[in-house]
Amino acid sequence: MSVHPAPQSPTAVPLMTPGAPLKLASAKRAVIGTVGFFSKIFVNAYCKTHTINEQRLFRTVLDNRDRPLITVANHSSVLDDPGMWGTKISYWWDAGAEGRQLISTSMCGPSPQEICFGNRCVWRRENQGPIGLCRIPSYLGRAVSVRARTTAWFFASGRVIPIVRGDGIHQPGMDLAVEKLNENGWVHIFSEGKVNQESTMLPFRWGIARLIMESKVPPIVLPFWHKGFENVMPEPKVETDKYYPRARKELILSYGEPVDFASNGVLEQTKEMDDAAARIHITDYIFNETVKVQKDTERMLGDPLWRKRGKPQLNVDSPRTGDPA
């Protein structure tokens, strides 16, 4: 009688990915394309969406394929991740094969493991392959529900990296994010660490500093700020609150200037610091750059002529604004 080893905790099991490259690529394109398509329909047809300086994102991504890229934004809703990328997904398709490859195989991002993968669903790595489909260890058997298997497969195919909240910046998910950057990949991160529906951003976590410090090539960081998703999907305040997307809201996505850590001198300033001080310095720098995008955008929102793409919808709830200082 064979005896299977006891399952390890989610934090102890290393991240792995299965083989099957053909299925892997097909699953990525199917999941990302489907989510992007429906997100685009919702944010463009059922909401009034404004994008500001979006060419900064496209040009930074397309013109720096040989550099690691980190995009960082505030996190105001569970829908902001698919929603903000769905607004312009048609641009990546219009950019040809290169654009389609970028949106379907390049970008990945951390997300809480207990939400996206379940407490017992873990990724596995095989031959250092790309992240992709999730395979559940056979010894778990019925311990993993069908729903957990399905959500794990879905989010893994969508290039989501599982992060265990509370385990700090040194954990398998962050190791994988660093690896992707060292392959000149693209990592998107919500550095607030949780959904924050207030106008003032929360202090950023140190994870982004680790990504920057451990990249073999100094990365380019593109900060951006968005507003309105907290009205589309407000967090329930009591158990009786209904949790569903609301239409006819106004969304604003504003992209800042790309920050090149190969030339801005920030990494040189940290050479004489210990690791903790260096992480604080870099994290504060990125936080201030993101706050700058918010302040500049809110300053522009005070101008009644800022809407360059026509009048807003009637009966649309405008997003709340507030001084982030």
Side-chain angles (χ1 to χ4, degrees):
M1 181 177 61
S2 60
V3 178
H4 296 294
Q8 298 172 313
S9 67
T11 57
V13 179
L15 299 177
M16 298 184 179
T17 52
L22 185 60
K23 290 183 179 180
L24 189 65
S26 300
K28 288 178 184 176
R29 293 191 181 97
V31 170
I32 295 174
T34 302
V35 173
F37 174 74
F38 285 105
S39 297
K40 179 178 177 61
I41 290 178
F42 182 82
V43 298
N44 288 338
Y46 293 95
C47 297
K48 182 66 174 179
T49 303
H50 309 273
T51 55
I52 302 168
N53 297 323
E54 66 270 23
Q55 288 300 321
R56 291 175 178 173
L57 172 66
F58 302 141
R59 292 271 54 90
T60 300
V61 173
L62 294 174
D63 295 346
N64 296 278
R65 297 299 307 280
D66 59 343
R67 295 281 302 280
L69 172 66
I70 301 172
T71 49
V72 57
N74 57 308
H75 193 16
S76 63
S77 167
V78 296
L79 285 185
D80 53 11
D81 192 16
M84 63 189 181
W85 301 118
T87 56
K88 294 295 179 181
I89 196 169
S90 59
Y91 177 90
W92 305 108
W93 257 248
D94 294 341
E98 183 183 27
R100 290 191 292 271
Q101 181 185 15
L102 277 171
I103 198 64
S104 63
T105 64
S106 181
M107 185 184 70
C108 56
S111 188
Q113 178 171 291
E114 73 275 11
I115 295 176
C116 297
F117 294 85
N119 288 330
R120 305 291 294 279
C121 295
V122 292
W123 283 7
R124 297 186 175 275
R125 178 187 308 283
E126 286 183 0
N127 302 323
Q128 302 294 320
I131 53 177
L133 293 178
C134 179
R135 184 165 63 192
I136 306 301
S138 59
Y139 58 74
L140 292 184
R142 297 181 180 178
V144 180
S145 66
V146 173
R147 179 180 178 183
R149 289 173 179 267
T150 303
T151 56
W153 176 90
F154 179 83
F155 285 106
S157 298
R159 301 185 60 78
V160 175
I161 299 175
I163 294 293
V164 180
R165 288 192 280 198
D167 274 18
I169 62 174
H170 295 287
Q171 58 172 292
M174 292 300 294
D175 295 341
L176 182 56
V178 171
E179 286 182 22
K180 300 308 295 182
L181 291 175
N182 287 332
E183 297 169 358
N184 293 329
W186 172 10
V187 174
H188 177 74
I189 187 169
F190 293 107
S191 282
E192 288 179 288
K194 65 177 182 179
V195 171
N196 171 34
Q197 300 198 326
E198 300 300 323
S199 294
T200 301
M201 277 189 284
L202 298 174
F204 283 1
R205 306 292 179 90
W206 288 6
I208 190 169
R210 186 197 168 191
L211 298 181
I212 294 170
M213 293 170 65
E214 296 190 14
S215 295
K216 294 178 181 178
V217 177
I220 296 174
V221 178
L222 182 73
F224 62 96
W225 176 80
H226 55 83
K227 198 68 178 173
F229 283 105
E230 70 280 2
N231 296 326
V232 173
M233 196 74 165
E235 290 289 296
K237 294 181 172 57
V238 295
E239 292 184 1
T240 55
D241 285 352
K242 295 182 179 180
Y243 201 48
Y244 63 91
R246 276 76 165 174
R248 301 190 64 80
K249 306 297 181 181
E250 191 168 26
L251 304 176
I252 295 136
L253 291 88
S254 181
Y255 299 89
E257 292 281 357
V259 179
D260 191 344
F261 274 83
S263 59
N264 66 357
V266 174
L267 291 176
E268 284 72 17
Q269 296 171 8
T270 63
K271 287 183 177 179
E272 302 301 324
M273 302 179 185
D274 58 37
D275 286 348
R279 292 189 193 110
I280 292 172
H281 181 75
I282 293 174
T283 303
D284 287 347
Y285 180 87
I286 296 298
F287 176 78
N288 291 331
E289 288 294 315
T290 310
V291 167
K292 180 182 177 183
V293 179
Q294 177 180 2
K295 286 186 173 182
D296 291 345
T297 306
E298 289 188 334
R299 198 174 296 118
M300 183 175 61
L301 293 179
D303 180 0
L305 302 179
W306 74 273
R307 294 186 177 93
K308 298 179 181 179
R309 293 184 174 84
K311 297 180 180 179
Q313 292 180 176
L314 297 176
N315 302 321
V316 170
D317 294 336
S318 297
R320 303 187 307 271
T321 58
D323 183 7

